[in-house]
Amino acid sequence: MSVPSGSRARTRQAILDAAIEVLARNPAASLGDVAEAADVGRTTLHRYFPERGDLIAALRAEATARLDRAGDRARLGEGPGGTALVRLCQEYFDLGDVLSLLFREQVEDEAGSCDEDFDAMVRRGHADGSIDPELPPVWVQNLVWSQLYAGWSYQSEHGASRHDALRLVLRCVSGAVRPQP
Amino acid sequence: MSVPSGSRARTRQAILDAAIEVLARNPAASLGDVAEAADVGRTTLHRYFPERGDLIAALRAEATARLDRAGDRARLGEGPGGTALVRLCQEYFDLGDVLSLLFREQVEDEAGSCDEDFDAMVRRGHADGSIDPELPPVWVQNLVWSQLYAGWSYQSEHGASRHDALRLVLRCVSGAVRPQP
DNA sequence: CCAGAACGGAACAGTGGTGTTCCATTGCGG
DNA sequence: CCGCAATGGAACACCACTGTTCCGTTCTGG
């Protein structure tokens, strides 16, 4: 069972990866497009994800899993709030397609309810003076997401390098949340 | 000709308004949905816009027209670059659905090629010290759009008042472009 | 009041995506 | 080498949207 599981898990992951890439660029892409991008027959895709909803559910799970791992790496609990926020942006930035996929699919799970750790981080920033107290945590979350999306599109549509895009994102995010004189 | 034109123009506008509202929330909405929102039979819609492409073309024209008017009202040529930028954000903010429609449809016409007046405004800001010289005009444009989208979604998804959303947008945009100490 | 414009509804064929079934082929472990 | 798992391709019915035609109804100006 574990032997075929190796093969099964591999193709399943290939389908998910392809789906992330394809659906990030065009949320209305057909399953045929996804299958083709995954180098897999449409039949095989249906074998793993019987309905379209099953695929996007798995996609959502995969995306939030990556998101959580990125959140862990950012160590939101350490250092000043503003510094932790910048670390989080760095980690999120590398999620690439996953980012815009979640952004376009309007994932309220993460963006709406505002993660607990994120909330605590922003409030800590309010207290230690590294984040403007007038900015609610939810707003900061919105801010981060839209900035990351801007950076992503700056990269993909204006041929900017990853380094430049990331630099601009971090600069503008930190500038936006910094308390005003 | 001008007499029926009164009725025709009115219906046409009603369809366009409804299309903006519906397609802003769901770019994949059917023409039936648009017609229903416009209180118009699907037949009538096809009478004004034979194909879907005709509708979105007219939509694009309508949107850019409103965008241009907003740009004129902002008087991009007056005052410091940073101040003019804030004025532009205020004007754009009130475009509401048009904004997110253009944002989601990836209108490169305006967002990509970077309007000439906008470009001049940013460069003036670079010179007069109100906009960080490290931020390219195209990036500032991306920044503005993503911030406005954030403000729009903050309004519609978190029940924030127009006033609060606008205030946060302006605060964060001006903070993001301000030269860093 | 009357003629023409504007409109709405029904019906139709065409299209593309979807989900399913069946069968042939490939690959890998026992 | 054999058998099972995994896959790919073809064919199929189904469905929603689209674009079109036709006809009856309503509105409006002359």
Side-chain angles (χ1 to χ4, degrees), chain B residues 4 8 11 41 43-44 47-48:
Chain B
R8 284 194 66 85
T11 314
T43 307
T44 301
R47 208 169 272 134
Y48 284 82

Side-chain angles (χ1 to χ4, degrees), chain B residues 75-158:
Chain B
R75 308 183 313 281
L76 298 188
E78 302 181 11
T83 310
L85 182 66
V86 169
R87 281 201 305 272
L88 183 65
C89 287
Q90 277 179 312
E91 294 295 339
Y92 276 4
F93 189 82
D94 287 327
L95 293 180
D97 285 337
V98 180
L99 198 73
S100 65
L101 180 69
L102 289 174
F103 189 76
R104 298 174 96 124
E105 294 269 347
Q106 298 156 353
V107 176
E108 310 308 334
D109 313 337
E110 177 77 5
S113 64
C114 198
D115 188 55
E116 195 173 311
D117 295 334
F118 187 89
D119 197 88
M121 172 190 67
V122 173
R123 284 202 303 268
R124 195 171 74 249
H126 289 167
D128 65 27
S130 60
I131 297 180
D132 193 322
E134 291 208 26
L135 307 179
V138 190
W139 170 260
V140 176
Q141 188 122 14
N142 264 21
L143 177 80
V144 165
W145 279 81
S146 65
Q147 286 288 283
L148 287 171
Y149 184 82
W152 175 82
S153 70
Y154 188 61
Q155 239 189 138
S156 67
E157 292 173 17
H158 297 287

Side-chain angles (χ1 to χ4, degrees), chain B residues 12-13 16 20 49 53-69 98 101-102 107 109:
Chain B
R12 183 189 148 93
Q13 194 59 44
L16 283 181
I20 288 176
F49 308 98
D54 298 327
L55 175 61
I56 71 164
L59 219 54
R60 182 177 298 258
E62 170 77 11
T64 52
R66 294 193 194 182
L67 213 63
D68 286 344
R69 286 200 297 271
V98 180
L101 180 69
L102 289 174
V107 176
D109 313 337

Side-chain angles (χ1 to χ4, degrees), chain A residues 78-131:
Chain A
E78 302 181 10
T83 309
L85 182 66
V86 170
R87 279 200 307 271
L88 184 65
C89 288
Q90 279 179 311
E91 294 295 339
Y92 276 3
F93 189 83
D94 287 327
L95 293 180
D97 286 336
V98 179
L99 198 73
S100 66
L101 180 68
L102 289 173
F103 189 76
R104 298 174 97 122
E105 294 268 349
Q106 299 156 351
V107 176
E108 310 308 334
D109 313 337
E110 177 77 7
S113 64
C114 198
D115 188 53
E116 193 174 312
D117 295 334
F118 186 89
D119 197 87
M121 172 190 68
V122 174
R123 285 202 303 268
R124 195 171 73 248
H126 289 167
D128 65 27
S130 59
I131 297 180

